[in-house]
Amino acid sequence: MLIGHNIHGIHQHLNSPVRYFSTVRDPVDLVISWYYFLRRIGGPAAQAIEDQDLSLEEFVAADEYWYGIPHTNNLQTRMLSGAGNTVSPGSCTSDMLDSAKQNVVNDFAVVGLLERFDETLLLFRRELDWGLPIYVRRNTTSSRPAKSDLSSSTLDLIRDRNALDLELYDHCREQFEERMRALDLSRDLQLLSLANAVYAPAVEIYVKARRAYNAILDREEW
């Protein structure tokens, strides 16, 4: 199993059958989250934002290759079409969008929605024969503003830079909702919610205890 922010096309380098699965996210939310995530984690990108005093709107307009790929310009179309960073910002094409849609239909067991995460996990479970996919939330950016808090000019710019992603997201959402209409996941959703209500606090307690244990022994190993 290969996990990561991978561009479609890995199957071309393997000698065995491949099934992809992934999630997509509302493109506007994705860009907003990326900007505030970079500011939160620090590093070269955060330093560049700070040094240039870039607002979110200026950040999007800059069309920079943050971490090797233009995250603010049709990122999901780039990833699912296989084009990646081979196409410069502003040069994504409708052919790339068509390829992404075709790949979703032909190569992906499931493409879920981040906004409906639990239902997505349960679809993964059914298609990929998983156990109950209990989880703990990590790496979330709680300090970012909501879309409704942003100016219309900022939102319009993000939509303009991600027009293909907006269409791709709608395509994936329609497919997702069609699959959901054919299933009754209400019992599974209740079970997952109950399991997470127990699991998440238990993990938090374990993590705190393990860190305290390491601190007492003055060691860095996890």
Side-chain angles (χ1 to χ4, degrees):
M1 185 170 180
L2 303 177
I3 304 173
H5 296 277
N6 297 309
I7 298 171
H8 178 271
I10 290 176
H11 65 283
Q12 299 170 3
H13 306 283
L14 301 174
N15 294 320
S16 59
V18 171
R19 298 182 77 196
Y20 290 90
F21 61 99
S22 189
T23 60
V24 293
R25 184 177 188 178
D26 173 81
V28 178
D29 262 331
L30 187 153
V31 171
I32 298 168
S33 180
W34 177 243
Y35 171 77
Y36 286 97
F37 169 74
L38 289 178
R39 291 181 55 179
R40 177 172 64 84
I41 65 170
Q47 191 62 51
I49 292 171
E50 182 178 343
D51 290 345
Q52 300 175 53
D53 194 23
L54 295 177
S55 66
L56 172 58
E57 187 168 341
E58 291 167 335
F59 172 79
V60 174
D63 284 329
E64 295 286 351
Y65 281 73
W66 305 101
Y67 294 95
I69 196 166
H71 280 76
T72 58
N73 178 237
N74 292 309
L75 173 67
Q76 295 171 108
T77 300
R78 292 171 178 278
M79 301 293 279
L80 293 179
S81 70
N85 62 0
T86 63
V87 179
S88 61
S91 300
C92 294
T93 65
S94 58
D95 287 342
M96 288 171 56
L97 174 62
D98 291 341
S99 293
K101 290 180 179 179
Q102 185 175 3
N103 290 338
V104 166
V105 172
N106 294 338
D107 297 339
F108 282 77
V110 179
V111 173
L113 307 179
L114 184 67
E115 293 78 9
R116 296 172 68 177
F117 190 66
D118 283 2
E119 292 164 294
T120 293
L121 287 182
L122 292 173
L123 278 180
F124 289 168
R125 179 193 188 195
R126 293 203 174 200
E127 291 292 333
L128 303 169
D129 196 27
W130 288 1
L132 188 68
I134 54 179
Y135 63 91
V136 175
R137 290 184 180 272
R138 295 288 186 203
N139 210 24
T140 59
T141 303
S142 58
S143 58
R144 50 149 287 187
K147 284 194 291 186
S148 57
D149 297 327
L150 299 176
S151 68
S152 58
S153 62
T154 298
L155 293 174
D156 287 344
L157 178 63
I158 295 173
R159 293 187 186 106
D160 178 68
R161 290 290 199 275
N162 295 275
L164 299 182
D165 267 15
L166 287 166
E167 186 172 340
L168 176 62
Y169 180 78
D170 285 343
H171 171 79
C172 293
R173 182 173 58 188
E174 289 172 5
Q175 287 204 326
F176 179 87
E177 290 177 346
E178 182 178 348
R179 298 182 76 163
M180 290 301 300
R181 284 192 292 269
L183 298 171
D184 181 7
L185 295 179
S186 56
R187 183 177 178 183
D188 289 344
L189 284 168
Q190 291 175 352
L191 181 60
L192 181 59
S193 177
L194 178 62
N196 278 334
V198 175
Y199 180 72
V203 170
E204 291 294 337
I205 292 171
Y206 169 77
V207 169
K208 290 178 180 178
R210 189 59 182 266
R211 285 175 176 163
Y213 174 76
N214 285 345
I216 291 171
L217 296 182
D218 192 26
R219 67 188 218 181
E220 296 182 0
E221 293 89 346
W222 178 245

